[in-house]
Each structure stands twice: as C-alpha cells, then as structure tokens.
Amino acid sequence: MRVTNKIIQNNNLANINTNKVYQDTLSTQMSTQKKISRPSDDPVVAIRALRLRSNVTELTQYYSKNIPDAESWLDVTEDSLNNLTEVITKMIEQCTKGSNGELTASDREIILEQLNSLADEVYTTGDADYAGRYVFTGYRTDTSLSFSEAEKMTYRITEQLGKDALDTLTVVDTETEAGVNLKDMTQSNYKDLDVGAINITKADVHRIRLAYENCADTAPVLSYPVATRNQDGSLDVTWEEISTSVVHDYENPSPAEMIQRASEKGEETGIFIPETGELLLTDAAYEKLMSLKDDSTTAAFDESEIRVTYEKKDWVKGDLRPEHYFACTSYPEGEDPIEYNAKYLEGIVERQDIEYDVGFNQTIRVNSTADECFDHGIGRTVDDLKQAMQDVIDMQKIKDELTALKDKVGEDERPTLESKIEAVTKAYDMMKDKSQRMFEAAITSMQGYLDAANLCITECGTRSSKLDLINARTQTQKTTFETLKSENEDVDITEIAIQLSSAKLTYEAALMATGKVTQTSLLNYI
C-alpha cells in the first residue's frame, strides 16, 4: 500500500484532534469535578446517579424537614400534656383538702377559688397550636378545641354512653314543710319566713350527667338498643325511648322531689334539668338501663350503649366544641346544617391520626386527640365540686349569721330563732357530709383522668424515642447515600490533574512529531 504524505498528514491531524478531545474531556472533569457532563458520556453512571440522587433527595426531605417538623409537633403536644397533668394533680390536691371534714369557712373559700382557677386552665391547655395548627383536634387543625368567646350556635348532639355514665347523686332538700328555702334566709328576714315543720332531708337520685350545662329548653331523647337476630345471623336493631320531660332547678317542688315521686309510682321516665345538664332517672328507668348487656358475639355493635340526644344553643368561652367529641349537627344561621361524625352512630369511630413520613415506607403518628386526654368529665366533676362546696359555704354563712343573733334577741324571739338555727344546722351538716363524700369520690375520678393524661404522655414519649432512632438511622443512610453518590459521580482531582498533565504532554509531543514529519516532502529527494 502506497502511503502518501497526505495520508500521513491526515493521520497526524486525526491523532492531534483525538488528543485534544481527550484533553478537553479531562479539562471539563477538572472544572466540574464530575465524571460525566451528559448521559451519553456514560449511561451506566447516569442511571446510577439518577437513582442515588433520588434517594439522597428523599432522605434530605425526611432528615431536614419531616423529622424536625414531627419532633416539634411532639414537643408541643408533650408540653401541653405535662401542663394538663400539673393542673389535674393540683385538682387532686384540692380534692384531698376538700375531703377533710374539719374545714373552716376560709379553707372552703380558698379551695373554691383554686378550683375555679384550675377549671379555667384545664381546657385552655387543649388549645395549644403548632405553626397555626391546633394539635389536639385531629384533622380539624384549623378549629380550636374550645370556644374562644361566647357564641350563639345551635348544635344537636348525640352522646353515646355506657353504663358507667349512670351515677347516683345525693340531694339535700332545703325546702321546709311550709315551702321556705333555707338558702334564702338572712338575719333581716328570718322572722318573716315561716319554717313550718323542720323536715330537712337528703335523698339519693340517679342521673346521667351530660357533657354540657345550660342546654336548650327541650326534652332530650333518651334511648337504648333492642337487637333481634335473624335466621341468617344478621341483627335488626331498634332504639327504644324512655320518656323525658324538662324541669328547672328553681321549680317547686324541686326536680329531685319530682323524680322521687315518679319513682314511687313505678314510672319509667327521666327529668331533664337544662341549667345543670343533668338527666335524673326514676328507679325503673335506672334499672332498665343498668340491665343492658353487650353481646360478645356481635363485635360490631354494643347492645349496652345508651344514647342521649339534646340541643345546646348558648356557648361560653371555654366550652369544648362538640364536633371534636360527638356525632352532632350544627345549624349556622342562614346556612345549611353541617353534620359531624355521623359514622359514630354506626359504630364506626375513625381515629384522626396525623402521621408523618419519616423514612422509606415508614410513618409515625405525631398527634394525640382531645378525647384521649381532655375529657368533659374533668370540668363537669369540678362543676359538681364547686356547687357542693358553695352550698356548704352559703349554709355556713347563714348559720353563723343566725347564731350571732342569739345574744341580741329577746327571750320571746329566741325559740323561733333557735328552731330556725336548728333547721339550718341540720341542712349544713347534711351538705357538709355530701361535700366531703363528693370530694372523696372526685379523688378517684381525677386520678383516672390523670392516668389517661399520663398514658398520652407515655405514648408521646415513646413516639419521640422512636423518632430519635429513626433520625439517627436516617442520618446514617443519608451519609451513606451521599458517599455512594459522590463515588459514582465525582472524579478524583489528583488523578485527573495527573491525567490532564499527561494529556498536555502527549498533545505537545504530537504537535512536535507532526511538525517534523510535515517538514519533509518529495522535493527533498529531487
């Protein structure tokens, strides 16, 4: 084969260009510190880079955003729950003090004042928020747990209760035979009030204490289930109602006396006191509800459930919003009704758990819901205690005022005064005994609420500990994937620098060789 100078020249130029391309490649790697600048440079490296970058991006999202956000949410929740436990612990302390039978008037005043301040604090804690989102209201993070101000809004509420909602309340009847209420007696009017026969009594009445007081002046619907099993094994459930009527706590005879008279007649009925939110039951109605039993073979339905449906229109600051707890319907003025938690009535309770993605196919729950820790019973128990203590304080005040008159009245007035002091003293002793027993029972009730709050704190702490482990593992994974990504994409600067220097020498040598070859032609041999 004949090799001409032109062929030699073209080959040298091609080799020079190859060296130049190689030098450009190394120069690009040197400046970008990456092995490739386009996928076609090395498809395997490119595909692996996409996967590793995707992994690093996900881990960065978990490690830098999701996990810190979840930690902050859990911290806010735990701080609020710790606050709640402190409040309930202080309530237990006051209950312990109140259970002492030898309290002075000033002692009772202090306990009452403490209970008032603690009652205002307990549900305020539930309105804690994180970044504008309320942490105890489930998915309704834009809605506060309690009303922030007084509001008029009609709600129709259905409370689904168990037999543990039935309790027995001691009522002291301060109405004398002549219809005089001893609570109205003062130093100035005791002469004008005809006590009549002294027959101060106390009685135990059965009741259901609803979640709210100051309810609408309408009779609630009290119902219980009657289940019939069909041949195919399915259940037909009908809800039987117990008749109820509305009375007021200022009526004469008193609601307690009314329910006692109905019990004596054997009636199966209830009396609703809207001011206190109490549904008093006759003995027959109480026994009917207490006889309900849940059938263990029907897991999807509770045959012992008791339902009370009622309305409330006037809300005060601090009242818990019913949509966070019950199946209910609100009726905004001029708007369509809004239904909440309708599935509760079908036995379907959907947990409103807020979960964060904190790892590959791994989530963690960050919220605690209000029904787990902020129970209506806390405030309602305090309401009972405050009323019982206030009754004792008021009656002791009347007793002290009348006793102070003994040395100031004449002999002719003394028998009348002493008979009234006797009636007041009897009522005072009964109320004091009632108050003491209620405070003793409240210690157990409050301890139950405290246990529920502590359980929430424990669960919150468990999630925080789990999140710490996930955080540590995610950090390790992130470091690992970043290392793999670097090894896949990044160049070794030292190695590239050496190769680039070598390429420059090769390029320069090629230029010199080509220059010498091209200097010689056929004319040199003529």
Side-chain angles (χ1 to χ4, degrees):
M1 177 181 177
R2 181 168 175 266
V3 178
T4 65
N5 288 345
K6 188 64 175 175
I7 292 175
I8 294 173
Q9 181 181 0
N10 289 338
N11 287 339
N12 286 330
L13 290 175
N15 292 333
I16 290 172
N17 186 64
T18 299
N19 287 331
K20 193 65 176 176
V21 170
Y22 180 55
Q23 186 178 357
D24 178 62
T25 299
L26 292 175
S27 179
T28 301
Q29 290 179 346
M30 187 74 175
S31 60
T32 62
Q33 298 185 17
K34 299 295 180 182
K35 293 180 180 178
I36 60 174
S37 57
R38 60 182 67 85
S40 58
D41 291 344
D42 192 329
V44 174
V45 171
I47 293 173
R48 190 182 297 121
L50 290 174
R51 292 174 179 172
L52 291 173
R53 285 189 180 189
S54 177
N55 290 334
V56 170
T57 300
E58 286 186 51
L59 288 168
T60 301
Q61 175 70 29
Y62 298 143
Y63 181 72
S64 302
K65 297 181 180 180
N66 291 18
I67 291 178
D69 200 23
E71 286 177 338
S72 299
W73 189 297
L74 288 170
D75 288 342
V76 171
T77 301
E78 189 169 358
D79 289 343
S80 299
L81 291 173
N82 285 328
N83 224 13
L84 176 64
T85 58
E86 288 182 15
V87 173
I88 297 177
T89 300
K90 291 178 180 178
M91 285 182 173
I92 294 175
E93 292 174 1
Q94 298 305 315
C95 290
T96 303
K97 293 178 182 178
S99 63
N100 184 358
E102 303 300 326
L103 294 173
T104 64
S106 60
D107 291 335
R108 292 191 175 93
E109 291 283 0
I110 292 172
I111 292 173
L112 188 60
E113 183 180 348
Q114 289 292 325
L115 287 176
N116 277 322
S117 62
L118 292 172
D120 293 338
E121 179 65 24
V122 65
Y123 294 131
T124 304
T125 304
D127 283 325
D129 70 284
Y130 168 63
R133 296 173 292 173
Y134 293 99
V135 299
F136 292 106
T137 56
Y139 299 151
R140 302 184 186 94
T141 56
D142 60 339
T143 306
S144 61
L145 179 63
S146 61
F147 287 91
S148 58
E149 58 185 15
E151 186 175 330
K152 284 189 175 294
M153 171 79 75
T154 299
Y155 277 85
R156 185 167 180 81
I157 304 166
T158 298
E159 291 193 33
Q160 297 168 265
L161 308 169
K163 289 187 289 186
D164 57 345
L166 302 171
D167 67 353
T168 302
L169 177 69
T170 299
V171 177
V172 178
D173 187 3
T174 56
E175 295 278 349
T176 66
E177 193 176 78
V180 175
N181 194 327
L182 296 182
K183 293 180 180 179
D184 300 329
M185 190 174 295
T186 64
Q187 286 182 337
S188 58
N189 70 5
Y190 82 94
K191 295 179 183 179
D192 304 324
L193 294 178
D194 181 16
V195 175
I198 299 174
N199 189 28
I200 307 300
T201 60
K202 65 178 180 179
D204 292 336
V205 296
H206 309 297
R207 69 167 181 174
I208 295 176
R209 186 180 62 190
L210 300 180
Y212 302 101
E213 59 183 1
N214 297 319
C215 301
D217 196 4
T218 55
V221 177
L222 173 61
S223 58
Y224 61 91
V226 176
T228 304
R229 190 177 294 277
N230 300 319
Q231 291 182 351
D232 60 358
S234 61
L235 286 179
D236 281 337
V237 180
T238 57
W239 288 87
E240 298 288 336
E241 295 184 7
I242 295 177
S243 63
T244 61
S245 58
V246 177
V247 300
H248 298 279
D249 59 358
Y250 50 79
E251 292 183 355
N252 186 18
S254 66
E257 189 174 349
M258 291 182 191
I259 204 69
Q260 284 180 311
R261 292 176 183 177
S263 289
E264 292 171 359
K265 296 177 183 178
E267 297 178 4
E268 191 176 277
T269 186
I271 291 178
F272 182 56
I273 310 172
E275 292 84 2
T276 62
E278 293 174 302
L279 182 58
L280 306 184
L281 303 173
T282 60
D283 292 340
Y286 176 78
E287 291 168 2
K288 169 66 75 175
L289 296 178
M290 288 299 291
S291 66
L292 299 176
K293 294 182 179 180
D294 183 26
D295 187 350
S296 59
T297 62
T298 57
F301 182 73
D302 184 3
E303 287 83 358
S304 65
E305 181 180 304
I306 302 167
R307 292 183 180 178
V308 183
T309 303
Y310 60 98
E311 292 185 358
K312 181 173 171 62
K313 300 178 180 179
D314 297 314
W315 304 88
V316 298
K317 181 180 178 180
D319 279 343
L320 296 174
R321 291 183 177 273
E323 58 262 39
H324 299 311
Y325 293 88
F326 309 113
C328 61
T329 304
S330 67
Y331 298 88
E333 188 174 351
E335 300 180 21
D336 293 333
I338 304 173
E339 197 173 78
Y340 300 97
N341 309 319
K343 290 186 177 180
Y344 284 11
L345 301 178
E346 302 172 12
I348 303 173
V349 180
E350 297 178 342
R351 301 296 309 175
Q352 296 187 1
D353 298 340
I354 297 177
E355 296 182 336
Y356 273 62
D357 287 327
V358 291
F360 294 120
N361 297 321
Q362 190 169 21
T363 61
I364 191 168
R365 180 187 174 192
V366 297
N367 72 321
S368 297
T369 52
D371 59 330
E372 294 177 294
C373 43
F374 292 92
D375 195 287
H376 282 83
I378 301 174
R380 298 294 277 143
T381 299
V382 172
D383 289 341
D384 281 348
L385 296 177
K386 287 161 54 179
Q387 185 60 55
M389 185 64 78
Q390 188 64 59
D391 288 343
V392 176
I393 292 173
D394 293 343
M395 196 57 63
Q396 184 175 7
K397 183 178 180 181
I398 296 171
K399 175 188 172 185
D400 293 342
E401 287 180 353
L402 295 181
T403 302
L405 288 177
K406 289 180 69 174
D407 297 331
K408 299 178 182 180
V409 299
E411 291 295 330
D412 55 335
E413 296 181 11
R414 185 164 295 177
T416 301
L417 178 60
E418 288 180 348
S419 67
K420 293 179 179 180
I421 291 176
E422 182 182 349
V424 171
T425 301
K426 185 175 181 180
Y428 167 74
D429 290 339
M430 289 183 178
M431 288 180 176
K432 186 173 74 169
D433 180 67
K434 169 190 173 181
S435 175
Q436 182 179 354
R437 293 178 183 276
M438 289 184 69
F439 273 89
E440 289 173 352
I443 295 174
T444 303
S445 299
M446 289 296 178
Q447 188 61 54
Y449 301 135
L450 181 60
D451 291 342
N454 283 329
L455 178 60
C456 285
I457 291 177
T458 302
E459 292 176 348
C460 190
T462 301
R463 295 177 199 136
S464 295
S465 299
K466 181 180 178 182
L467 193 60
D468 289 341
L469 295 174
I470 294 172
N471 187 34
R473 185 174 69 251
T474 303
Q475 184 179 15
T476 302
Q477 289 178 328
K478 183 172 178 287
T479 302
T480 300
F481 277 106
E482 286 177 341
T483 301
L484 292 173
K485 172 176 169 289
S486 178
E487 291 176 351
N488 180 66
E489 298 181 20
D490 299 342
V491 295
D492 186 335
I493 297 298
T494 303
E495 182 180 346
I496 292 299
I498 294 172
Q499 290 179 0
L500 183 59
S501 297
S502 176
K504 286 181 179 179
L505 291 175
T506 303
Y507 175 69
E508 291 172 357
L511 288 177
M512 291 175 61
T514 302
K516 289 183 178 183
V517 169
T518 55
Q519 287 177 2
T520 303
S521 67
L522 185 61
L523 295 176
N524 295 113
Y525 300 98
I526 298 178

